[in-house]
Short mmCIF file of all heavy atoms in Angstrom, two decimals:
data_model
loop_
_atom_site.label_atom_id
_atom_site.label_comp_id
_atom_site.label_asym_id
_atom_site.label_seq_id
_atom_site.Cartn_x
_atom_site.Cartn_y
_atom_site.Cartn_z
N MET A 1 72.93 104.40 97.63
CA MET A 1 73.52 104.03 98.92
C MET A 1 74.70 104.95 99.24
O MET A 1 75.45 105.32 98.35
CB MET A 1 74.00 102.58 98.86
CG MET A 1 73.72 101.82 100.14
SD MET A 1 74.08 100.06 99.99
CE MET A 1 75.84 100.06 100.30
N ALA A 2 74.84 105.30 100.49
CA ALA A 2 75.93 106.19 100.89
C ALA A 2 77.28 105.49 100.74
O ALA A 2 77.37 104.26 100.84
CB ALA A 2 75.74 106.62 102.33
N ARG A 3 78.28 106.29 100.48
CA ARG A 3 79.64 105.73 100.39
C ARG A 3 80.08 105.22 101.76
O ARG A 3 79.76 105.82 102.78
CB ARG A 3 80.60 106.81 99.90
CG ARG A 3 80.29 107.29 98.51
CD ARG A 3 81.06 108.56 98.22
NE ARG A 3 82.45 108.28 97.87
CZ ARG A 3 83.41 109.22 97.84
NH1 ARG A 3 83.13 110.47 98.16
NH2 ARG A 3 84.65 108.92 97.50
N GLN A 4 80.85 104.14 101.72
CA GLN A 4 81.29 103.50 102.96
C GLN A 4 82.81 103.59 103.09
O GLN A 4 83.53 103.33 102.13
CB GLN A 4 80.95 102.00 102.90
CG GLN A 4 79.51 101.70 102.65
CD GLN A 4 78.80 101.23 103.91
OE1 GLN A 4 79.43 100.95 104.92
NE2 GLN A 4 77.49 101.16 103.85
N VAL A 5 83.25 103.92 104.30
CA VAL A 5 84.68 103.91 104.59
C VAL A 5 85.08 102.52 105.06
O VAL A 5 84.40 101.93 105.90
CB VAL A 5 85.03 104.91 105.71
CG1 VAL A 5 86.52 104.91 105.99
CG2 VAL A 5 84.55 106.31 105.35
N GLU A 6 86.18 102.01 104.50
CA GLU A 6 86.71 100.73 104.98
C GLU A 6 88.22 100.80 105.05
O GLU A 6 88.85 101.53 104.30
CB GLU A 6 86.30 99.60 104.02
CG GLU A 6 84.83 99.22 104.14
CD GLU A 6 84.42 98.13 103.17
OE1 GLU A 6 85.27 97.32 102.76
OE2 GLU A 6 83.23 98.10 102.83
N ILE A 7 88.79 100.00 105.95
CA ILE A 7 90.24 99.86 106.05
C ILE A 7 90.61 98.42 105.73
O ILE A 7 90.00 97.49 106.28
CB ILE A 7 90.74 100.19 107.47
CG1 ILE A 7 90.47 101.65 107.82
CG2 ILE A 7 92.25 99.91 107.59
CD1 ILE A 7 90.76 102.00 109.28
N GLU A 8 91.57 98.26 104.82
CA GLU A 8 92.12 96.92 104.57
C GLU A 8 93.12 96.64 105.70
O GLU A 8 94.27 97.07 105.65
CB GLU A 8 92.80 96.89 103.19
CG GLU A 8 93.39 95.55 102.81
CD GLU A 8 92.36 94.42 102.86
OE1 GLU A 8 91.27 94.60 102.32
OE2 GLU A 8 92.67 93.39 103.48
N LEU A 9 92.62 95.98 106.75
CA LEU A 9 93.39 95.89 108.00
C LEU A 9 94.73 95.19 107.84
O LEU A 9 95.69 95.52 108.53
CB LEU A 9 92.57 95.15 109.06
CG LEU A 9 91.58 96.01 109.86
CD1 LEU A 9 90.96 95.17 110.96
CD2 LEU A 9 92.25 97.25 110.45
N GLY A 10 94.79 94.27 106.93
CA GLY A 10 96.06 93.55 106.72
C GLY A 10 97.17 94.48 106.30
O GLY A 10 98.35 94.18 106.52
N ASP A 11 96.82 95.60 105.70
CA ASP A 11 97.82 96.54 105.21
C ASP A 11 98.07 97.71 106.15
O ASP A 11 99.02 98.45 105.98
CB ASP A 11 97.38 97.11 103.84
CG ASP A 11 97.37 96.04 102.77
OD1 ASP A 11 98.08 95.03 102.93
OD2 ASP A 11 96.63 96.21 101.78
N CYS A 12 97.19 97.92 107.14
CA CYS A 12 97.31 99.08 108.03
C CYS A 12 98.60 98.99 108.85
O CYS A 12 98.91 97.96 109.43
CB CYS A 12 96.10 99.14 108.97
SG CYS A 12 96.21 100.43 110.23
N LEU A 13 99.32 100.11 108.90
CA LEU A 13 100.60 100.17 109.62
C LEU A 13 100.45 100.68 111.04
O LEU A 13 101.42 100.77 111.79
CB LEU A 13 101.57 101.10 108.86
CG LEU A 13 101.83 100.72 107.40
CD1 LEU A 13 102.59 101.83 106.70
CD2 LEU A 13 102.59 99.41 107.32
N GLY A 14 99.23 101.08 111.40
CA GLY A 14 99.00 101.57 112.75
C GLY A 14 99.63 102.92 113.03
O GLY A 14 99.97 103.23 114.17
N CYS A 15 99.77 103.74 112.00
CA CYS A 15 100.46 105.03 112.17
C CYS A 15 99.59 106.09 112.83
O CYS A 15 100.10 107.12 113.27
CB CYS A 15 100.94 105.53 110.81
SG CYS A 15 99.58 106.12 109.77
N GLU A 16 98.30 105.89 112.84
CA GLU A 16 97.33 106.79 113.48
C GLU A 16 97.11 108.10 112.74
O GLU A 16 96.45 109.01 113.25
CB GLU A 16 97.69 107.08 114.94
CG GLU A 16 97.62 105.85 115.81
CD GLU A 16 97.70 106.16 117.29
OE1 GLU A 16 96.78 106.83 117.77
OE2 GLU A 16 98.68 105.75 117.94
N SER A 17 97.64 108.22 111.56
CA SER A 17 97.43 109.45 110.80
C SER A 17 95.94 109.70 110.54
O SER A 17 95.44 110.81 110.73
CB SER A 17 98.19 109.33 109.48
OG SER A 17 97.97 110.45 108.70
N CYS A 18 95.23 108.67 110.14
CA CYS A 18 93.80 108.83 109.86
C CYS A 18 93.04 109.22 111.11
O CYS A 18 92.09 110.02 111.06
CB CYS A 18 93.24 107.53 109.27
SG CYS A 18 93.45 106.08 110.33
N VAL A 19 93.46 108.70 112.25
CA VAL A 19 92.78 108.99 113.52
C VAL A 19 92.97 110.46 113.89
O VAL A 19 92.04 111.13 114.35
CB VAL A 19 93.34 108.08 114.64
CG1 VAL A 19 92.65 108.38 115.96
CG2 VAL A 19 93.17 106.62 114.27
N GLU A 20 94.18 110.97 113.66
CA GLU A 20 94.46 112.37 113.97
C GLU A 20 93.66 113.30 113.07
O GLU A 20 93.15 114.32 113.52
CB GLU A 20 95.96 112.66 113.82
CG GLU A 20 96.76 112.16 114.99
CD GLU A 20 98.26 112.19 114.72
OE1 GLU A 20 98.70 113.03 113.90
OE2 GLU A 20 98.97 111.38 115.32
N ILE A 21 93.56 112.95 111.81
CA ILE A 21 92.91 113.83 110.84
C ILE A 21 91.39 113.76 110.94
O ILE A 21 90.70 114.76 110.82
CB ILE A 21 93.37 113.48 109.41
CG1 ILE A 21 94.84 113.84 109.26
CG2 ILE A 21 92.51 114.17 108.36
CD1 ILE A 21 95.49 113.31 108.00
N CYS A 22 90.85 112.59 111.19
CA CYS A 22 89.40 112.42 111.16
C CYS A 22 88.93 111.48 112.28
O CYS A 22 88.49 110.36 112.03
CB CYS A 22 89.01 111.88 109.78
SG CYS A 22 87.23 111.81 109.52
N PRO A 23 88.98 111.98 113.53
CA PRO A 23 88.61 111.12 114.66
C PRO A 23 87.13 110.78 114.71
O PRO A 23 86.72 109.88 115.45
CB PRO A 23 89.04 111.96 115.88
CG PRO A 23 89.12 113.36 115.40
CD PRO A 23 89.48 113.29 113.94
N GLU A 24 86.34 111.50 113.92
CA GLU A 24 84.91 111.18 113.84
C GLU A 24 84.69 109.79 113.22
O GLU A 24 83.75 109.08 113.58
CB GLU A 24 84.22 112.25 112.97
CG GLU A 24 82.76 112.00 112.69
CD GLU A 24 82.19 112.91 111.60
OE1 GLU A 24 82.95 113.40 110.74
OE2 GLU A 24 80.97 113.11 111.60
N VAL A 25 85.60 109.42 112.33
CA VAL A 25 85.42 108.19 111.53
C VAL A 25 86.41 107.09 111.93
O VAL A 25 86.06 105.91 111.89
CB VAL A 25 85.58 108.53 110.03
CG1 VAL A 25 85.65 107.27 109.17
CG2 VAL A 25 84.42 109.42 109.57
N PHE A 26 87.62 107.49 112.33
CA PHE A 26 88.67 106.51 112.62
C PHE A 26 89.05 106.55 114.09
O PHE A 26 89.15 107.61 114.69
CB PHE A 26 89.92 106.80 111.78
CG PHE A 26 89.68 106.79 110.30
CD1 PHE A 26 89.44 107.98 109.62
CD2 PHE A 26 89.67 105.61 109.58
CE1 PHE A 26 89.20 107.99 108.26
CE2 PHE A 26 89.44 105.61 108.21
CZ PHE A 26 89.20 106.80 107.55
N ALA A 27 89.28 105.37 114.66
CA ALA A 27 89.78 105.27 116.03
C ALA A 27 90.94 104.28 116.02
O ALA A 27 91.06 103.46 115.11
CB ALA A 27 88.69 104.80 116.97
N PHE A 28 91.79 104.39 117.05
CA PHE A 28 92.89 103.44 117.14
C PHE A 28 92.49 102.29 118.04
O PHE A 28 92.01 102.49 119.15
CB PHE A 28 94.16 104.11 117.68
CG PHE A 28 95.37 103.25 117.49
CD1 PHE A 28 95.91 103.06 116.22
CD2 PHE A 28 95.96 102.62 118.56
CE1 PHE A 28 97.01 102.24 116.03
CE2 PHE A 28 97.08 101.80 118.38
CZ PHE A 28 97.60 101.62 117.12
N ASN A 29 92.67 101.09 117.55
CA ASN A 29 92.35 99.89 118.33
C ASN A 29 93.65 99.37 118.95
O ASN A 29 94.51 98.82 118.27
CB ASN A 29 91.72 98.83 117.40
CG ASN A 29 91.29 97.60 118.17
OD1 ASN A 29 92.03 97.07 118.99
ND2 ASN A 29 90.09 97.13 117.88
N ASP A 30 93.78 99.59 120.26
CA ASP A 30 95.02 99.23 120.95
C ASP A 30 95.28 97.74 120.90
O ASP A 30 96.44 97.30 120.86
CB ASP A 30 94.96 99.69 122.41
CG ASP A 30 95.14 101.20 122.53
OD1 ASP A 30 96.03 101.74 121.84
OD2 ASP A 30 94.38 101.82 123.29
N ASN A 31 94.24 96.95 120.94
CA ASN A 31 94.43 95.49 120.91
C ASN A 31 95.02 95.02 119.59
O ASN A 31 95.89 94.15 119.56
CB ASN A 31 93.10 94.77 121.17
CG ASN A 31 92.62 94.97 122.60
OD1 ASN A 31 93.42 95.06 123.51
ND2 ASN A 31 91.32 95.07 122.77
N LEU A 32 94.50 95.61 118.51
CA LEU A 32 94.97 95.21 117.18
C LEU A 32 96.24 95.94 116.78
O LEU A 32 96.98 95.50 115.92
CB LEU A 32 93.89 95.49 116.13
CG LEU A 32 92.60 94.68 116.22
CD1 LEU A 32 91.62 95.17 115.15
CD2 LEU A 32 92.88 93.20 116.02
N GLY A 33 96.46 97.12 117.39
CA GLY A 33 97.58 97.95 116.95
C GLY A 33 97.33 98.54 115.58
O GLY A 33 98.26 98.87 114.84
N LYS A 34 96.04 98.69 115.25
CA LYS A 34 95.66 99.20 113.94
C LYS A 34 94.48 100.15 114.09
O LYS A 34 93.83 100.16 115.14
CB LYS A 34 95.26 98.06 113.00
CG LYS A 34 96.41 97.11 112.67
CD LYS A 34 95.93 95.92 111.89
CE LYS A 34 97.04 94.91 111.65
NZ LYS A 34 97.95 95.29 110.58
N ALA A 35 94.20 100.90 113.05
CA ALA A 35 93.04 101.78 113.08
C ALA A 35 91.78 100.97 112.79
O ALA A 35 91.84 99.87 112.22
CB ALA A 35 93.20 102.87 112.03
N GLU A 36 90.65 101.52 113.21
CA GLU A 36 89.37 100.89 112.85
C GLU A 36 88.38 102.00 112.49
O GLU A 36 88.53 103.15 112.90
CB GLU A 36 88.84 100.02 113.98
CG GLU A 36 88.50 100.80 115.23
CD GLU A 36 88.07 99.88 116.36
OE1 GLU A 36 87.99 98.67 116.18
OE2 GLU A 36 87.80 100.42 117.45
N VAL A 37 87.38 101.61 111.72
CA VAL A 37 86.34 102.55 111.32
C VAL A 37 85.24 102.52 112.37
O VAL A 37 84.69 101.46 112.67
CB VAL A 37 85.79 102.19 109.93
CG1 VAL A 37 84.63 103.10 109.56
CG2 VAL A 37 86.88 102.26 108.88
N ILE A 38 84.93 103.69 112.93
CA ILE A 38 83.86 103.75 113.93
C ILE A 38 82.60 104.39 113.37
O ILE A 38 81.56 104.38 113.99
CB ILE A 38 84.32 104.49 115.21
CG1 ILE A 38 84.88 105.86 114.89
CG2 ILE A 38 85.33 103.64 115.97
CD1 ILE A 38 85.18 106.70 116.14
N LYS A 39 82.73 104.96 112.18
CA LYS A 39 81.55 105.55 111.52
C LYS A 39 81.75 105.39 110.02
O LYS A 39 82.45 106.18 109.39
CB LYS A 39 81.44 107.04 111.91
CG LYS A 39 80.22 107.73 111.35
CD LYS A 39 80.10 109.15 111.87
CE LYS A 39 78.86 109.81 111.28
NZ LYS A 39 78.70 111.18 111.77
N SER A 40 81.16 104.36 109.47
CA SER A 40 81.46 104.03 108.07
C SER A 40 80.68 104.89 107.08
O SER A 40 81.05 105.01 105.92
CB SER A 40 81.21 102.55 107.81
OG SER A 40 79.86 102.23 108.02
N GLU A 41 79.59 105.49 107.55
CA GLU A 41 78.76 106.31 106.65
C GLU A 41 78.49 107.67 107.28
O GLU A 41 78.31 107.78 108.49
CB GLU A 41 77.40 105.66 106.45
CG GLU A 41 77.36 104.58 105.40
CD GLU A 41 75.94 104.06 105.21
OE1 GLU A 41 74.98 104.86 105.33
OE2 GLU A 41 75.80 102.87 104.97
N GLY A 42 78.43 108.70 106.44
CA GLY A 42 77.95 109.99 106.91
C GLY A 42 78.99 110.87 107.58
O GLY A 42 78.64 111.92 108.12
N GLY A 43 80.27 110.46 107.53
CA GLY A 43 81.31 111.32 108.09
C GLY A 43 81.65 112.47 107.16
O GLY A 43 81.18 112.51 106.03
N ASP A 44 82.44 113.39 107.66
CA ASP A 44 82.87 114.56 106.88
C ASP A 44 83.74 114.09 105.70
O ASP A 44 84.85 113.59 105.90
CB ASP A 44 83.67 115.49 107.79
CG ASP A 44 84.14 116.75 107.07
OD1 ASP A 44 84.61 116.63 105.92
OD2 ASP A 44 84.04 117.83 107.65
N GLU A 45 83.23 114.27 104.48
CA GLU A 45 83.92 113.70 103.32
C GLU A 45 85.27 114.34 103.07
O GLU A 45 86.21 113.67 102.63
CB GLU A 45 83.03 113.82 102.07
CG GLU A 45 81.77 112.99 102.21
CD GLU A 45 81.12 112.65 100.87
OE1 GLU A 45 81.68 113.01 99.82
OE2 GLU A 45 80.06 112.02 100.90
N THR A 46 85.38 115.62 103.37
CA THR A 46 86.66 116.30 103.17
C THR A 46 87.72 115.71 104.09
O THR A 46 88.85 115.43 103.67
CB THR A 46 86.51 117.81 103.43
OG1 THR A 46 85.48 118.31 102.58
CG2 THR A 46 87.81 118.54 103.15
N ALA A 47 87.34 115.50 105.36
CA ALA A 47 88.29 114.93 106.31
C ALA A 47 88.62 113.49 105.94
O ALA A 47 89.77 113.05 106.08
CB ALA A 47 87.70 115.00 107.72
N ILE A 48 87.65 112.75 105.45
CA ILE A 48 87.90 111.36 105.04
C ILE A 48 88.89 111.34 103.88
O ILE A 48 89.84 110.55 103.87
CB ILE A 48 86.59 110.65 104.65
CG1 ILE A 48 85.69 110.48 105.89
CG2 ILE A 48 86.87 109.29 104.01
CD1 ILE A 48 84.26 110.10 105.57
N GLU A 49 88.68 112.22 102.90
CA GLU A 49 89.59 112.26 101.75
C GLU A 49 91.00 112.65 102.20
O GLU A 49 92.00 112.14 101.68
CB GLU A 49 89.08 113.25 100.68
CG GLU A 49 87.74 112.87 100.06
CD GLU A 49 87.78 111.63 99.15
OE1 GLU A 49 88.86 111.04 98.96
OE2 GLU A 49 86.71 111.26 98.63
N GLU A 50 91.08 113.56 103.16
CA GLU A 50 92.40 113.94 103.70
C GLU A 50 93.07 112.76 104.37
O GLU A 50 94.28 112.55 104.23
CB GLU A 50 92.24 115.06 104.75
CG GLU A 50 92.45 116.45 104.22
CD GLU A 50 92.28 117.48 105.32
OE1 GLU A 50 92.98 117.40 106.33
OE2 GLU A 50 91.41 118.34 105.16
N ALA A 51 92.29 112.01 105.13
CA ALA A 51 92.84 110.84 105.81
C ALA A 51 93.34 109.82 104.79
O ALA A 51 94.43 109.24 104.95
CB ALA A 51 91.79 110.20 106.72
N ILE A 52 92.58 109.63 103.73
CA ILE A 52 92.99 108.70 102.67
C ILE A 52 94.31 109.15 102.05
O ILE A 52 95.23 108.35 101.84
CB ILE A 52 91.88 108.58 101.60
CG1 ILE A 52 90.69 107.82 102.18
CG2 ILE A 52 92.41 107.90 100.35
CD1 ILE A 52 89.44 107.85 101.31
N ALA A 53 94.40 110.46 101.79
CA ALA A 53 95.62 110.99 101.17
C ALA A 53 96.82 110.85 102.09
O ALA A 53 97.96 110.72 101.63
CB ALA A 53 95.40 112.45 100.79
N SER A 54 96.58 110.85 103.39
CA SER A 54 97.69 110.80 104.36
C SER A 54 98.11 109.38 104.69
O SER A 54 99.14 109.17 105.33
CB SER A 54 97.27 111.50 105.65
OG SER A 54 96.49 110.62 106.45
N CYS A 55 97.31 108.40 104.31
CA CYS A 55 97.58 107.02 104.73
C CYS A 55 98.79 106.47 103.98
O CYS A 55 98.74 106.33 102.75
CB CYS A 55 96.35 106.15 104.47
SG CYS A 55 96.64 104.40 104.84
N PRO A 56 99.87 106.14 104.68
CA PRO A 56 101.08 105.68 104.00
C PRO A 56 100.92 104.31 103.37
O PRO A 56 101.68 103.94 102.47
CB PRO A 56 102.13 105.65 105.11
CG PRO A 56 101.35 105.49 106.37
CD PRO A 56 100.04 106.19 106.14
N ALA A 57 99.90 103.57 103.81
CA ALA A 57 99.69 102.22 103.27
C ALA A 57 98.66 102.20 102.14
O ALA A 57 98.48 101.18 101.48
CB ALA A 57 99.24 101.29 104.40
N GLY A 58 97.98 103.32 101.94
CA GLY A 58 96.96 103.36 100.89
C GLY A 58 95.86 102.34 101.12
O GLY A 58 95.29 101.77 100.18
N CYS A 59 95.54 102.10 102.38
CA CYS A 59 94.63 100.98 102.69
C CYS A 59 93.23 101.42 103.09
O CYS A 59 92.44 100.59 103.57
CB CYS A 59 95.25 100.08 103.75
SG CYS A 59 95.48 100.86 105.34
N ILE A 60 92.92 102.72 102.91
CA ILE A 60 91.56 103.19 103.23
C ILE A 60 90.79 103.33 101.92
O ILE A 60 91.28 103.93 100.97
CB ILE A 60 91.58 104.56 103.94
CG1 ILE A 60 92.44 104.49 105.21
CG2 ILE A 60 90.16 105.01 104.27
CD1 ILE A 60 92.70 105.85 105.83
N THR A 61 89.59 102.79 101.88
CA THR A 61 88.75 102.97 100.71
C THR A 61 87.47 103.71 101.12
O THR A 61 87.02 103.63 102.26
CB THR A 61 88.36 101.63 100.06
OG1 THR A 61 87.68 100.82 101.03
CG2 THR A 61 89.58 100.90 99.54
N PHE A 62 86.93 104.43 100.17
CA PHE A 62 85.71 105.22 100.41
C PHE A 62 84.92 105.18 99.11
O PHE A 62 85.16 105.96 98.19
CB PHE A 62 86.10 106.64 100.79
CG PHE A 62 84.94 107.53 101.20
CD1 PHE A 62 83.89 107.03 101.97
CD2 PHE A 62 84.92 108.87 100.84
CE1 PHE A 62 82.85 107.86 102.35
CE2 PHE A 62 83.88 109.70 101.22
CZ PHE A 62 82.84 109.19 101.97
N GLU A 63 84.02 104.21 99.01
CA GLU A 63 83.29 104.06 97.74
C GLU A 63 81.91 103.50 97.98
O GLU A 63 81.57 103.15 99.10
CB GLU A 63 84.06 103.18 96.77
CG GLU A 63 84.54 101.88 97.36
CD GLU A 63 85.64 101.23 96.48
OE1 GLU A 63 86.56 101.90 96.02
OE2 GLU A 63 85.51 100.02 96.26
S1 SF4 B 101 96.53 106.17 108.08
FE1 SF4 B 101 96.40 104.13 107.09
S2 SF4 B 101 98.15 102.98 107.91
FE2 SF4 B 101 97.84 104.76 109.25
S3 SF4 B 101 96.51 103.97 110.91
FE3 SF4 B 101 95.17 104.88 109.34
S4 SF4 B 101 94.59 103.15 108.01
FE4 SF4 B 101 96.38 102.51 109.20
#
């Protein structure tokens, strides 16, 4: 099975770093004030790993 991107929303700070780095996979949800995953499988793995490394809350998983 392909690896899936997920955000632990309770921990997301809404900083938009992941959205800037990897807009293919992450979008900002204005209603929630948090990021959301718009493509959980098949995104650019390098960009996903960069987004994970940049997340100040450490709340993105990719497994
Ligand atoms: S980088 Fe992390 S804290 Fe920032 S919006 Fe994305 S998931 Fe939320």
Side-chain angles (χ1 to χ4, degrees):
M1 220 172 84
R3 296 167 80 194
Q4 304 255 350
V5 181
E6 286 178 26
I7 296 172
E8 181 56 48
L9 275 186
D11 293 337
C12 174
L13 303 170
C15 72
E16 295 192 64
S17 177
C18 58
V19 180
E20 282 169 27
I21 292 169
C22 187
E24 175 192 24
V25 170
F26 302 96
F28 193 72
N29 184 314
D30 286 316
N31 292 326
L32 294 176
K34 295 173 184 282
E36 64 184 358
V37 176
I38 53 173
K39 183 175 180 179
S40 62
E41 277 184 34
D44 181 316
E45 296 201 3
T46 304
I48 293 166
E49 297 290 359
E50 264 180 57
I52 289 170
S54 81
C55 176
C59 65
I60 304 170
T61 58
F62 186 39
E63 49 196 46

